[in-house]
Amino acid sequence: MRAKLVNWLTSLLVVMLFSFFCFCISRMTQTRNQLINCRNHILEFKESFLRLKNKTERNSQELTEVLSKLNYDIRRRKHVSINLVGKNVNTLDKNEIVSNTFEDLKFFFPHLRKVGRIYPDVIIGKEKADVSFALGISTVKRQTHSYLKQTLTSLITRMTPSEEKDSVVIVSIADSNEDYLKSVVDMITQKFKKQVKSGSLEVISIPAFFYPDMLRANQSTEDSQKLERWQTKQILDFCFLMLYAQPKAMYYLQLEDDIIAKKMYFTKITDFVRSITSNNWFYVEFSVLGFIGKLFKSEDLTEFIRFFLMFYKDKPIDLLLLDLLQVKMCHTGETPDKCAERNKQIRIRYKPSLFQHVGTQSSYLGTERYLKVRF
């Protein structure tokens, strides 16, 4: 009896040990599988990280090459005079000199390489140059309402006589509608006779052949494509206007045709620019809305224009401006906070805004905008 009990206890012990051994083997197998899965995830993450790193380095290298080319061209152009202002294209002979800055367009637009002379039509202008500020306004026909007269009245009446003498306001008609062109010219010659006579107010028109085929073809019915075409044309409109204004003034201020200016805006701009101690600033923002109220040094405009023309199909112009800022100032591997801190030294903001957007009927057909900033 005693021997049977011992055998039974021994068998029980063996069964328990065997069960425990099986349990341990099972747990070890599960743990091993988990470790293998974890290792595979780590390897996948490492491969993804390496691919992203390589892609980032390639993009950084491409952008660096673009910037290097821009800087080289800027240095080269410093040895060439940019103070040649073209005369009215209606009276220009082919052998007469016009501003060479427009020749850059042939690099970006092959269809212009067969054109002998590239220059906008000067409708109203007395070749005023050697002033401190050029104010550029690009205008197109809106469906129901024009804000241009209100904008020009605000800008001109809020200048002192000496400020008006030291500036030129340039209205660029970027619309092929002949009726709209005539209405703008008639309005300006009737309402701003003094400024037209003194040469402080000019009107130019952008010929339709300036634009690439994609903007002169039949309009698409897709809203997304319409918006893309509108944004693309707007960039080109601004670039053409900048090219025309560049030789005329020390600084260029970008405005739009549906804004009003704060009282003494011009005095505030002049005083603020003179108060900037460093000459390394990139641009000054006198409005936070889009591309309105951005002030540039005219000598830097070539760099901006070429960058905009390289990527005019990709983004709106205000976003391209931020991209150029990042290319110039942000280094590979640098934290965004550090880059943003350094950007503050070259991207200067004036507060409060000196310009208010008043237009609700957008130049983009069939849309309304309600953009407001507090003066």
Side-chain angles (χ1 to χ4, degrees):
M1 185 69 180
R2 187 175 182 181
K4 289 182 179 181
L5 180 61
V6 171
N7 291 336
W8 182 84
L9 291 174
T10 302
S11 301
L12 179 61
L13 179 61
V14 170
V15 170
M16 292 178 63
L17 289 174
F18 180 78
S19 300
F20 179 76
F21 177 78
C22 293
F23 173 78
C24 291
I25 293 297
S26 175
R27 294 295 295 177
M28 290 175 64
T29 301
Q30 292 178 1
T31 303
R32 180 174 177 273
N33 292 335
Q34 291 175 352
L35 289 174
I36 292 174
N37 290 335
C38 182
R39 185 188 65 178
N40 292 337
H41 287 309
I42 292 174
L43 291 176
E44 291 176 359
F45 175 80
K46 182 179 179 181
E47 291 175 357
S48 300
F49 179 80
L50 289 175
R51 287 196 298 269
L52 180 60
K53 180 181 178 181
N54 292 334
K55 183 178 180 181
T56 302
E57 289 177 350
R58 288 196 302 269
N59 292 340
S60 176
Q61 183 178 0
E62 292 174 359
L63 289 174
T64 301
E65 290 174 356
V66 170
L67 181 59
S68 298
K69 181 181 183 303
L70 291 174
N71 287 334
Y72 170 79
D73 290 335
I74 288 294
R75 290 194 299 269
R76 179 173 58 83
R77 289 188 68 88
K78 284 184 178 179
H79 299 287
V80 181
S81 172
I82 61 171
N83 293 321
L84 298 174
V85 182
K87 296 180 180 179
N88 192 317
V89 294
N90 295 324
T91 60
L92 271 175
D93 184 80
K94 288 185 178 180
N95 295 324
E96 290 187 82
I97 296 176
V98 296
S99 175
N100 289 328
T101 55
F102 278 88
E103 292 301 308
D104 287 347
L105 296 175
K106 294 182 179 181
F107 177 81
F108 299 98
F109 304 118
H111 74 281
L112 294 178
R113 294 171 188 171
K114 298 180 181 179
V115 179
R117 171 175 27 87
I118 304 175
Y119 205 67
D121 298 326
V122 182
I123 310 301
I124 299 173
K126 294 193 174 182
E127 303 180 15
K128 187 174 183 180
D130 298 323
V131 295
S132 295
F133 293 90
L135 287 66
I137 303 171
S138 180
T139 184
V140 296
K141 185 179 183 300
R142 287 171 164 81
Q143 282 189 331
T144 59
H145 187 73
S146 173
Y147 306 93
L148 181 59
K149 182 169 72 172
Q150 181 183 7
T151 296
L152 290 175
T153 300
S154 170
L155 293 173
I156 292 173
T157 60
R158 290 174 177 175
M159 289 184 184
T160 65
S162 60
E163 290 170 348
E164 185 177 313
K165 185 178 180 180
D166 194 31
S167 64
V168 56
V169 178
I170 305 166
V171 177
S172 174
I173 304 175
D175 198 307
S176 58
N177 187 300
E178 293 293 334
D179 292 336
Y180 182 66
L181 188 150
K182 184 178 184 303
S183 68
V184 171
V185 172
D186 290 345
M187 180 272 292
I188 288 178
T189 53
Q190 293 174 14
K191 301 295 183 181
F192 303 99
K193 295 180 181 179
K194 176 184 174 183
Q195 288 73 28
V196 170
K197 184 177 180 180
S198 68
S200 296
L201 179 56
E202 297 188 359
V203 179
I204 65 173
S205 175
I206 307 300
F209 73 84
F210 271 35
Y211 300 94
D213 291 338
M214 61 173 290
L215 296 179
R216 292 185 283 122
N218 294 329
Q219 296 288 333
S220 170
T221 58
E222 295 291 336
D223 289 342
S224 59
Q225 294 182 4
K226 285 183 178 180
L227 178 59
E228 181 179 346
R229 289 164 60 89
W230 174 76
Q231 292 175 339
T232 298
K233 180 179 178 299
Q234 186 182 60
I235 294 176
L236 300 184
D237 293 343
F238 288 158
C239 288
F240 298 153
L241 178 53
M242 288 177 176
L243 284 171
Y244 177 79
Q246 184 180 23
K248 291 179 170 291
M250 185 180 301
Y251 302 105
Y252 174 78
L253 180 65
Q254 181 66 58
L255 300 171
E256 293 189 7
D257 63 349
D258 54 355
I259 58 101
I260 58 173
K262 186 177 182 179
K263 292 181 180 179
M264 296 184 65
Y265 79 97
F266 200 94
T267 302
K268 294 178 185 294
I269 289 176
T270 303
D271 291 344
F272 186 74
V273 171
R274 289 175 179 173
S275 70
I276 301 175
T277 56
S278 172
N279 194 42
N280 294 327
W281 56 272
F282 204 42
Y283 63 92
V284 183
E285 293 182 311
F286 291 99
S287 173
V288 297
L289 294 176
F291 206 57
I292 298 172
K294 303 301 183 285
L295 181 77
F296 307 92
K297 289 177 284 189
S298 292
E299 64 183 17
D300 293 340
L301 280 179
T302 301
E303 182 175 4
F304 286 98
I305 293 168
R306 289 178 177 175
F307 189 86
F308 295 153
L309 292 179
M310 285 181 186
F311 304 105
Y312 73 96
K313 298 179 183 179
D314 300 325
K315 293 181 180 180
I317 193 167
D318 52 328
L319 298 184
L320 289 179
L321 183 61
L322 297 178
D323 286 347
L324 178 56
L325 188 71
Q326 186 174 13
V327 170
K328 286 183 68 70
M329 297 305 298
C330 297
H331 305 313
T332 303
E334 185 178 43
T335 63
D337 291 341
K338 186 175 181 181
C339 178
E341 185 63 29
R342 191 166 60 256
N343 286 344
K344 293 179 182 179
Q345 302 173 10
I346 63 169
R347 178 191 179 188
I348 303 175
R349 289 182 175 177
Y350 178 90
K351 297 180 180 180
S353 175
L354 295 181
F355 302 99
Q356 174 66 67
H357 186 272
V358 295
T360 58
Q361 179 67 49
S362 173
S363 57
Y364 175 51
L365 295 179
T367 62
E368 293 185 352
R369 294 188 302 173
Y370 297 89
L371 303 176
K372 298 289 183 180
V373 293
R374 183 173 298 176
F375 274 162

